[in-house]
């Protein structure tokens, strides 16, 4: 029985660095939606080929053959500047090209149908979202618009806004940008993933408030959040993390190790060869996974570079050694989270592990040791928990009537402190980190010189007292201050953070009432409304191209099938001739009509199907 009729479904999407996952609330439970291959997670991968665009598994499966046009891990680029040292470091090891676009925003360069194309990270992410939307639509049999997209809790304002824009480009109505660990905490609270039956928050209802620590280590990001959970109310106490720490970094370390070994053995440097690097990376990721269950494995790549094979053995101990510093960073961040929440490690009731990289035994051991041998909760699926929790929250926002969903209360926090720069360059903190959101906070500034008529408002995020070491989000000048001796005129500055964690700052001259307001990320070199509109139109174009490509493949497949049927079906010579002729005509038509519109291709398809209804039976 559907839990609510006549209501458009709302989905939860975990848009991951390596894999994405989509879930929906249906029949009084959240369900993970499998893709067209039957997989419950889909690679966050987009490929561009001579024939068209490929998404998800289809894109990942052809990576080694087409490395420079297969794009992955764009979550590491989204909302960042090209000159960012993190971006510079990543692109060194990526087989696809990334260049500096306008306003220092990274652009991904690919060859699509023989033409060079450049895309922003938002556009590539939107393509992954299109795939997730389609997976949900196929499963639900209806159009899906409403969605929650999750992001690492430690994503900054610009990364959140960019993710929201990616959703809009994909044709989604993004109801909320939700923090991944918070979604995982909801999944934990509902505790239905492994049990597959309704077992609601009643479980925690009768008990006292629990402090739940979510340790979320995925493909590209790491978050640690502490929440209090009671009576279906989830309150984030503190969150911290690293938006650039995860499985991809562990892969990098292995790749680096192998590149050095290859150089030492054969005196050959493979770093300039995209195909070799990509193939080595695939083998390293596989070896990393193997080392979660074995203590020794091998990395073998035939003809890795200039005809030379590569083969090496790697032990779990060596892998741990290579990543030692990265692993330790994870426990350092747990310490920071607990200290922000002002709670001792003994006060944590439950430690929940989510994210694919928490399968690494050393990570599990380090977390367990940190909590002095405490049993870790691994009962919720590490790859699915985030989408699962997001689907529950999506159902809540969508007006689902199920009691437990309806009563869900979520209080999130802002991950980084926000403030303005004083006249002497010091940071005035307006919203301290870990402040519950939505929130509104004010500060006042006075004029620094006599007869000052305008005031520069510089907005920063970060924790350092000297503003210049923090991240400048935006600046604007407020005019309309009436001339007066210094220190007399006052400007009120208001920080308003919405439930998505997106910040709007407004400033007002007290005496004249003159005002100015900005939504930070829109002014910060990110996409304008017109740019987003253009990308929405482009996305529709790419979708139409995909459909055309699919229709061409169907026509080609039917024609080839007809040819083989003509040979095998035991029909008369004249029937055989007609079949062969029709099939050859269709193939010739495809060859001479490369730019045919979808309507024309479908017309050809229809003609074949109506002439040979037997074909329709199976297709
Ligand atoms: P997520 O972003 O949560 O989907 O996590 C993806 C990351 O988990 C990728 O870097 C994978 O290589 C990694 N991963 C998945 N399974 C394993 C495993 N068995 N051992 C180590 N890492 C894994």
């Amino acid at each position: 029985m559907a839990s609510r009729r006549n209501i458009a479904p709302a989905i939860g999407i975990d848009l991951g660095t390596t894999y994405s996952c989509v879930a929906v609330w249906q029949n009084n439970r959240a369900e993970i939606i499998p893709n067209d291959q039957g997989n419950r997670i889909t690679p966050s991968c987009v490929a561009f080929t001579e024939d068209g665009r490929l998404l998800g598994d289809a894109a990942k499966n052809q990576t080694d053959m087409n490395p420079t046009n297969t794009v992955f891990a764009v979550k590491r680029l989204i909302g960042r500047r090209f000159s960012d040292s993190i971006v510079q470091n990543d692109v060194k090891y990526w087989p696809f090209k990334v260049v500096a676009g306008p306003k220092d925003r990274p652009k991904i360069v690919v060859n699509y149908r023989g033409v060079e194309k450049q895309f922003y990270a938002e556009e590539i992410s939107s393509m992954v979202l299109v795939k997730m939307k389609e997976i949900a639509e196929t499963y639900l049999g209806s159009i899906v618009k409403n969605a929650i997209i999750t992001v690492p809790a430690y994503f900054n304002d610009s990364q959140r806004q960019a993710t929201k824009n990616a959703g809009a480009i994909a044709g989604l109505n993004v109801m909320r940008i939700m923090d991944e660990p918070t979604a995982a905490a909801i999944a934990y609270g509902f505790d239905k993933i492994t049990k597959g039956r309704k077992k609601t928050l009643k479980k925690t209802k009768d008990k006292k408030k629990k402090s739940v620590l979510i340790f979320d280590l995925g493909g590209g990001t790491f978050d640690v959040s502490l929440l209090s959970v009671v009576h279906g109310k989830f309150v984030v106490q503190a969150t911290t993390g690293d938006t650039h720490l995860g499985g991809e970094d562990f892969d990098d370390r292995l790749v680096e190790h192998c590149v050095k070994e290859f150089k030492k053995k054969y005196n050959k440097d493979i770093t300039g060869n995209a195909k070799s690097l990509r193939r080595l990376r695939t083998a390293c990721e596989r070896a990393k996974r193997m080392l979660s269950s074995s203590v020794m494995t091998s990395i073998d790549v035939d003809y890795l570079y200039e005809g030379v094979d590569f083969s090496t053995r790697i032990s779990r101990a060596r892998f741990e050694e290579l990543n030692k510093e990265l692993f330790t960073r994870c426990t350092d961040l747990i310490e920071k989270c607990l200290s922000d929440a002002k709670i001792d490690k003994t006060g944590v009731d439950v430690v929940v592990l989510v994210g694919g990289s928490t399968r690494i035994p050393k990570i599990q051991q380090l977390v367990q040791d940190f909590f002095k041998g405490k049993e870790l909760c691994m009962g919720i699926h590490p790859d699915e928990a985030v989408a699962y929790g997001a689907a529950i929250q999506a159902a809540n926002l969508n007006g689902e009537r199920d009691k437990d969903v309806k009563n869900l209360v979520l209080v999130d926090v802002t991950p980084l402190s926000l403030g303005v720069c004083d006249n002497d360059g010091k940071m005035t903190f307006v919203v301290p980190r870990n402040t519950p959101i939505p929130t509104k906070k004010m500060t006042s500034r006075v004029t620094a010189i006599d007869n000052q008529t305008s005031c520069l408002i510089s907005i920063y995020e970060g924790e350092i007292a000297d503003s210049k070491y923090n991240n400048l989000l935006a600046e604007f000048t407020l005019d309309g201050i009436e001339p007066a001796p210094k220190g007399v005129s006052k400007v009120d500055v208001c920080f308003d953070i919405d439930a998505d964690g997106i910040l709007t700052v407004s400033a007002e001259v007290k005496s004249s009432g003159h005002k100015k307001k900005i939504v930070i990320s829109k002014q910060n070199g990110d996409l304008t409304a017109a740019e987003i509109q253009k990308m929405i139109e482009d996305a529709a174009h790419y979708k139409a191209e995909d459909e055309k490509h699919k229709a061409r493949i169907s026509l080609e497949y039917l024609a080839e099938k007809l040819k083989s049927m003509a040979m095998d079906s035991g029909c008369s010579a004249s029937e055989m001739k007609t079949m062969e002729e029709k099939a050859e005509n269709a193939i010739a038509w495809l060859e001479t009509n490369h730019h045919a519109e979808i309507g024309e291709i479908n017309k050809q398809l229809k003609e074949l199907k109506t002439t040979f209804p037997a074909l329709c039976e199976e297709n």
Side-chain angles (χ1 to χ4, degrees):
M1 188 193 73
S3 53
R4 185 109 195 249
R5 284 151 299 274
N6 305 325
I7 178 172
I11 54 174
I13 302 177
D14 170 10
L15 180 62
T17 309
T18 331
Y19 288 94
S20 295
C21 184
V22 58
V24 67
W25 181 269
Q26 249 203 165
N27 304 324
N28 293 323
R29 59 195 291 262
E31 287 174 26
I32 300 294
I33 307 180
N35 66 19
D36 45 351
Q37 306 293 305
N39 300 326
R40 291 159 74 86
I41 53 173
T42 299
S44 305
C45 192
V46 179
F48 300 87
T49 72
E50 279 294 317
D51 295 325
R53 183 180 68 164
L54 300 170
L55 306 172
D57 288 298
K60 187 165 195 237
N61 292 342
Q62 55 82 73
T63 310
D64 289 354
M65 276 134 41
N66 182 27
T68 49
N69 299 307
T70 304
V71 185
F72 57 91
V74 285
K75 191 170 171 181
R76 295 195 146 203
L77 290 181
I78 205 159
R80 290 188 190 274
R81 304 282 156 241
F82 180 74
S83 54
D84 187 329
S85 59
I86 286 174
V87 171
Q88 288 302 307
N89 204 41
D90 273 341
V91 299
K92 257 195 328 220
Y93 287 101
W94 284 346
F96 54 90
K97 195 164 143 193
V98 183
V99 296
K103 299 176 192 159
D104 196 27
R105 288 180 22 225
K107 288 199 98 174
I108 296 129
V109 186
V110 292
N111 189 299
Y112 176 51
R113 303 174 140 223
V115 180
E116 186 184 288
K117 291 256 175 205
Q118 297 195 354
F119 295 103
Y120 287 118
E122 286 91 326
E123 287 177 278
I124 300 288
S125 283
S126 80
M127 295 175 192
V128 177
L129 289 170
V130 162
K131 178 73 190 168
M132 304 318 287
K133 181 176 185 280
E134 281 173 4
I135 292 170
E137 287 175 345
T138 307
Y139 180 81
L140 294 166
S142 63
I143 298 288
V144 172
K145 276 264 164 209
N146 295 336
I148 284 191
I149 304 174
T150 60
V151 292
Y154 219 55
F155 252 22
N156 65 25
D157 193 70
S158 169
Q159 291 166 306
R160 284 165 193 271
Q161 185 67 51
T163 306
K164 205 169 179 184
N165 290 343
I169 298 165
L172 289 166
N173 167 39
V174 183
M175 303 160 89
R176 180 75 45 91
I177 291 291
M178 185 181 191
D179 288 351
E180 288 163 10
T182 310
I186 292 179
Y188 161 77
F190 269 68
D191 193 32
K192 281 193 251 178
I193 285 183
T194 48
K195 297 175 180 80
R197 64 186 169 85
K198 186 160 173 146
K199 189 175 182 188
T200 67
L201 296 166
K202 284 184 202 99
K203 188 176 176 219
T204 49
K205 225 171 207 169
D206 306 327
K207 298 182 184 168
K208 69 171 180 55
K209 184 158 84 177
K210 277 190 175 179
S211 283
V212 179
L213 185 122
I214 307 286
F215 181 97
D216 180 1
L217 186 61
T221 57
F222 172 58
D223 276 327
V224 48
S225 292
L226 188 84
L227 293 98
S228 70
V229 179
V230 67
H231 289 238
K233 188 172 177 191
F234 297 77
V235 181
V236 182
Q237 305 294 322
T239 190
T240 189
D242 187 331
T243 53
H244 202 275
L245 175 60
E248 297 268 340
D249 296 284
F250 312 147
D251 301 344
D252 282 350
R253 293 279 163 110
L254 266 186
V255 170
E256 242 173 87
H257 166 78
C258 294
V259 166
K260 277 189 200 147
E261 191 168 316
F262 193 80
K263 181 139 197 228
K264 205 165 139 200
K265 265 192 194 162
Y266 305 106
N267 199 24
K268 287 181 192 292
D269 181 6
I270 73 159
T271 47
N273 188 304
K275 202 164 185 168
S276 305
L277 270 183
R278 180 65 240 182
R279 292 178 65 224
L280 181 60
R281 192 181 185 84
T282 306
C284 286
E285 201 254 353
R286 201 176 304 127
K288 175 189 73 175
R289 286 174 186 253
M290 283 302 293
L291 290 173
S292 292
S293 49
S294 334
V295 290
M296 183 68 104
T297 190
S298 61
I299 301 173
D300 303 299
V301 189
D302 288 346
Y303 304 108
L304 175 63
Y305 185 68
E306 293 181 349
V308 182
D309 297 342
F310 179 65
S311 180
T312 193
R313 302 267 297 155
I314 179 122
S315 67
R316 185 187 283 177
R318 184 82 183 106
F319 170 72
E320 289 170 358
E321 188 56 36
L322 290 171
N323 287 291
K324 193 172 170 191
E325 163 231 330
L326 297 177
F327 290 175
T328 318
R329 218 150 90 208
C330 296
T331 42
D332 291 348
L333 287 168
I334 304 182
E335 190 89 64
K336 180 166 178 259
C337 180
L338 295 181
S339 128
D340 279 355
K342 300 184 179 54
I343 174 173
D344 183 74
K345 60 176 86 170
T346 53
V348 175
D349 298 302
V350 188
V351 179
V352 182
L353 298 191
V354 286
S357 297
T358 57
R359 293 194 178 93
I360 296 173
K362 186 72 183 176
I363 293 283
Q364 295 173 4
Q365 186 212 320
L366 285 171
V367 178
Q368 192 160 39
D369 289 352
F370 181 90
F371 286 101
K372 309 232 177 296
K374 188 179 186 63
E375 183 91 15
L376 306 176
C377 170
M378 291 186 280
I380 64 170
H381 198 300
D383 299 328
E384 299 174 359
V386 171
Y388 191 96
I392 295 169
Q393 169 72 346
N396 169 279
L397 294 183
N398 212 26
E400 170 62 50
R401 288 201 212 108
D402 178 281
K403 189 158 69 62
D404 298 308
V405 172
K406 201 169 71 181
N407 294 340
L408 182 75
V409 180
L410 201 60
V411 183
D412 245 317
V413 295
T414 175
L416 294 159
S417 300
L418 296 156
V420 284
C421 177
D422 291 354
N423 297 324
D424 56 2
K426 293 269 169 288
M427 177 99 165
T428 300
F429 291 99
V430 183
V431 186
R433 73 169 185 269
N434 292 320
T435 299
I437 56 168
T439 188
K440 217 175 198 176
K441 300 243 181 217
M442 300 273 295
T443 188
S444 292
R445 297 196 50 196
V446 288
T447 45
I449 51 171
D450 292 341
N451 299 322
Q452 184 178 334
T453 55
S454 67
C455 169
L456 178 70
I457 310 283
S458 307
I459 302 138
Y460 284 86
E461 74 184 350
E463 313 305 326
I464 304 169
D466 194 343
S467 309
K468 68 172 181 280
Y469 297 114
N470 291 324
N471 181 29
L472 176 66
L473 290 173
E475 282 185 319
F476 66 95
T477 303
L478 181 69
D479 301 311
I481 302 176
E482 284 153 10
K486 73 171 178 182
V488 171
S489 298
K490 215 168 135 198
V491 171
D492 282 345
V493 184
C494 175
F495 280 55
D496 192 344
I497 306 177
D498 69 13
D500 292 330
I502 291 168
L503 169 68
T504 304
V505 176
S506 52
E508 180 178 353
V509 180
K510 265 312 256 180
S511 55
S512 68
H514 195 83
K515 285 185 199 166
K516 206 162 186 179
K517 173 166 134 174
I518 57 168
V519 177
I520 294 305
S521 36
K522 289 204 177 129
Q523 302 292 315
N524 192 30
D526 285 310
L527 300 176
T528 61
E531 280 176 305
I532 294 174
Q533 187 51 38
K534 163 89 175 54
M535 288 177 188
I536 291 173
E537 284 156 23
D538 287 349
H541 168 75
Y542 290 120
K543 190 157 190 261
E545 287 288 314
D546 289 352
E547 274 159 15
K548 224 156 63 173
H549 181 54
K550 268 189 217 153
R552 289 183 77 86
I553 288 179
S554 301
L555 181 57
E556 193 181 349
Y557 173 75
L558 277 191
E560 292 294 347
K561 191 168 169 205
L562 196 56
K563 265 168 74 178
S564 60
M565 272 171 78
M567 279 183 256
D568 301 340
S569 61
C571 46
S572 70
S574 76
E575 280 170 333
M576 208 163 110
K577 191 159 173 270
T578 320
M579 282 169 108
E580 266 173 356
E581 260 173 29
K582 290 273 177 196
E584 293 296 353
N585 285 348
I587 292 166
W589 185 88
L590 276 171
E591 274 166 14
T592 47
N593 290 280
H594 279 291
H595 302 292
E597 290 305 321
I598 186 145
E600 296 173 89
I601 308 168
N602 282 337
K603 203 169 140 207
Q604 295 279 334
L605 255 172
K606 198 170 162 201
E607 200 182 311
L608 269 195
K609 285 181 177 176
T610 41
T611 318
F612 303 102
L615 283 177
C616 305
E617 284 166 19
E618 290 168 49
N619 297 284

